[in-house]
Amino acid sequence: MRENARVTSDSRGDYQELVDEISELLGAPATLENRDFELIAFGAYDGEGDLDPSALDPVRTRSILTRRSTAAIRTWFEGFGITRATGPVRIPPTPEAGVYRGRICLPVRHRGVVLGYVWLLDDDDPGPAVPQLDAAMEVASRIGALLADEAQAGADLTRELREVLTAERGWQRDMAVAALRTALGPRGDGPHAVVCVAPWPSADPDDAPSARTVPHATALCTVPWGAAGQQSLAVLVRLRTTDVRTPAASAAARVLGSARGASATARVPGNAPGSGASAAAQVPADGRGPEASAESRRVTDGRAAGASAAAQSPAGGREAGAGGTSQPSADGRAMGAGAASRPSADGRSPGASGTPRPPAAGRTPPPGATPVAGIGAPRTGLTDLGVAWQEATAACRAGLAEPRFGTVVEWAAIGPYRLLAALPPEAAHDPVVAPLLSPAHHELARTAEVYLDRAGQAGRTAAELGIHRQTLYYRLSRVEQLTGLDLDDGEDRLLLHMTLKSHRL
């Protein structure tokens, strides 16, 4: 705790002062990025020539406006050996790469570990003198110490964060929040978001990534998940404002990549192929720069995730329809000519597969389940950190239950699951609906859920399920027989719909 308490200054302000000092020493505007090429601070442009549109550097402009660089740009610059350098590195202008103006890169190191880079435009010949560069490297070493202190503070906050998230409401949680606030200092008063990733593939806390490897992470820790000894990973993410949630999504994507890598050696989302350490020293073989090759390096995880979600949609797995003579359903609601032949006892059409789909996942994800990240609503300060964690876990549970939400799910986007996730576990076991939830009646339960999701519109439901209306009406009558509910009654529909959705959680 004492180690954490000493990091109480506004780090961002300190970085800006140090960057301005380097700009003054070398007579050129400087920018500071962390080792992931995410912008931390930048100096002002003083000369009108620097603002001439014809001389603007697309790579530098993009870095300042978006506060980060692409993986292709990172790989291109790392090809000049900046990850191994201990002194200034000169990079020549390469217009075809979008680098109109030369660069001087000052590696920011602490105890031999590269933590970031200071960049300066290098248009003059011969450029800054050796004494000037030596003085700038001394300032860079002070930046490295500050970055190391900040990273160490985040690493040391594992225990404090876990105590906040696992404490009972009341004075226990208040005490835990106070301890975390003391450790963070003024940083604890800023805007934050909480991310929950579950199921986390390892029960060993040492397998969790370091906070310094997750963009925008202030602290992280593992937290028990479910009743089967599984774990989740909690990440406290710093934001610039509560209106901009991009840092939380970036942190979620990075941690999801770590989770997949631990279980299936998958790449981290957002890192282009070849952007790791093994490829860092290679400049593109075709000589093209980062802008030219960015498209070929773009990862398409989002599309794959969308396709996967569609394939697992509750409405997927349509049954084959059948033609034949109309037969009345059990409750007399049969349609006329052109309806299906007589349904089987469980309501499946004769042309349908005889093997029902497995039931939806319960509260504890099955072993090997694909991890999902939930993000709670952003907040300023730490007072409501426990509530934010509940929101993040609810969003995560909704994502595990409904693949249509994707793998990164925000609390604001889960609709009725915001309410359902707050209900006690036994709410999913209403005695009236319980018979419908047995594996033998899974197809009937799915039919009822789709019917209620479609606001009771028979045509849309039958089309979604790929069955004839007669088959749909037969199944709905079986649902009423099993539960004793009247699907023409609003309250009965509400009870059935809530129970079916809660059962997914």
Side-chain angles (χ1 to χ4, degrees):
M1 182 68 68
R2 187 178 302 276
E3 178 72 15
N4 291 335
R6 69 186 180 87
V7 187
T8 57
S9 61
D10 185 347
S11 298
R12 299 296 169 185
D14 291 341
Y15 293 139
Q16 186 63 59
E17 291 176 4
L18 293 171
V19 167
D20 289 342
E21 185 175 345
I22 291 178
S23 297
E24 186 175 351
L25 279 170
L26 301 182
T31 60
L32 170 64
E33 296 177 335
N34 64 18
R35 60 183 174 187
D36 294 322
F37 281 55
E38 295 169 333
L39 186 66
I40 297 174
F42 60 92
Y45 283 76
D46 297 326
E48 291 186 5
D50 291 332
L51 301 177
D52 182 358
S54 64
L56 287 178
D57 189 319
V59 171
R60 191 178 183 90
T61 302
R62 176 191 177 95
S63 172
I64 293 175
L65 292 180
T66 66
R67 309 200 69 81
R68 65 183 305 148
S69 297
T70 66
I73 290 173
R74 170 179 173 175
T75 301
W76 192 82
F77 277 113
E78 286 177 341
F80 289 92
I82 61 175
T83 60
R84 303 180 302 277
T86 57
V89 176
R90 274 196 161 90
I91 298 174
T94 310
E96 62 272 22
V99 181
Y100 294 172
R101 307 169 72 173
R103 299 284 198 278
I104 296 177
C105 175
L106 308 180
V108 176
R109 291 180 172 273
H110 182 72
R111 295 182 178 176
V113 178
V114 63
L115 300 178
Y117 306 98
V118 174
W119 300 92
L120 300 105
L121 298 178
D122 183 28
D123 291 332
D124 300 328
D125 190 14
V130 171
Q132 290 176 292
L133 291 173
D134 289 343
M137 284 300 298
E138 190 278 329
V139 178
S141 69
R142 285 152 53 194
I143 295 176
L146 191 61
L147 284 169
D149 276 349
E150 188 175 8
Q152 183 63 36
D156 288 345
L157 292 173
T158 295
R159 183 184 64 185
E160 285 82 357
L161 179 60
R162 183 183 292 114
E163 288 181 352
V164 171
L165 303 184
T166 58
E168 296 289 337
R169 287 187 178 182
W171 66 267
Q172 295 99 328
R173 182 176 292 175
D174 292 342
M175 291 289 289
V177 169
L180 180 60
R181 184 183 292 113
T182 299
L184 283 172
R187 291 183 296 158
D189 297 328
H192 293 88
V194 180
V195 175
C196 171
V197 175
W200 185 250
S202 175
D204 186 351
D206 291 337
D207 289 338
S210 168
R212 67 189 297 178
T213 66
V214 179
H216 315 289
T218 297
L220 55 78
C221 67
T222 55
V223 180
W225 176 269
Q230 292 184 320
Q231 297 287 314
S232 64
L233 189 75
V235 187
L236 181 62
V237 181
R238 60 182 178 273
L239 306 176
R240 289 191 171 272
T241 70
T242 55
D243 296 328
V244 180
R245 306 174 186 179
T246 306
S250 298
R254 178 66 59 85
V255 176
L256 277 176
S258 298
R260 292 167 186 155
S263 58
T265 63
R267 289 186 182 273
V268 178
N271 283 358
S275 64
S278 62
Q282 299 179 11
V283 180
D286 60 1
R288 294 183 301 165
E291 297 296 335
S293 59
E295 188 64 33
S296 65
R297 299 170 183 267
R298 185 169 294 124
V299 179
T300 56
D301 294 85
R303 294 183 193 138
S308 175
Q312 301 176 46
S313 171
R318 294 184 177 181
E319 300 170 89
T325 306
S326 172
Q327 298 288 345
S329 65
D331 63 354
R333 290 184 285 186
M335 299 300 293
S341 58
R342 185 184 300 276
S344 61
D346 67 349
R348 288 196 297 269
S349 301
S353 169
T355 304
R357 288 171 28 137
R363 282 179 171 74
T364 300
T370 301
V372 170
I375 304 175
R379 286 171 168 79
T380 299
L382 304 175
T383 303
D384 294 328
L385 193 56
V387 177
W389 171 244
Q390 292 172 353
E391 294 173 354
T393 58
C396 189
R397 291 170 60 195
L400 290 168
E402 289 281 9
R404 63 187 173 88
F405 286 133
T407 56
V408 178
V409 188
E410 292 193 18
W411 160 257
I414 62 175
Y417 285 101
R418 292 196 295 268
L419 174 63
L420 297 175
L423 298 175
E426 57 270 18
H429 303 288
D430 185 272
V432 172
V433 186
L436 186 63
L437 299 178
S438 69
H441 299 303
H442 170 71
E443 201 66 35
L444 293 179
R446 189 170 72 94
T447 298
E449 185 174 359
V450 174
Y451 176 71
L452 295 170
D453 285 345
R454 301 298 174 265
Q457 298 183 31
R460 292 178 61 197
T461 305
E464 184 78 16
L465 295 173
I467 60 177
H468 288 273
R469 289 199 186 197
Q470 178 190 352
T471 304
L472 171 64
Y473 289 142
Y474 179 84
R475 291 185 185 180
L476 294 177
S477 70
R478 292 279 292 124
V479 170
E480 291 182 326
Q481 292 169 11
L482 283 169
T483 62
L485 298 174
D486 180 2
L487 293 183
D488 290 329
D489 182 85
E491 290 190 354
D492 283 3
R493 284 194 187 194
L494 178 62
L495 173 61
L496 179 59
H497 207 182
M498 290 181 64
T499 305
L500 290 172
K501 293 295 186 187
S502 297
H503 184 67
R504 286 181 172 275
L505 294 174

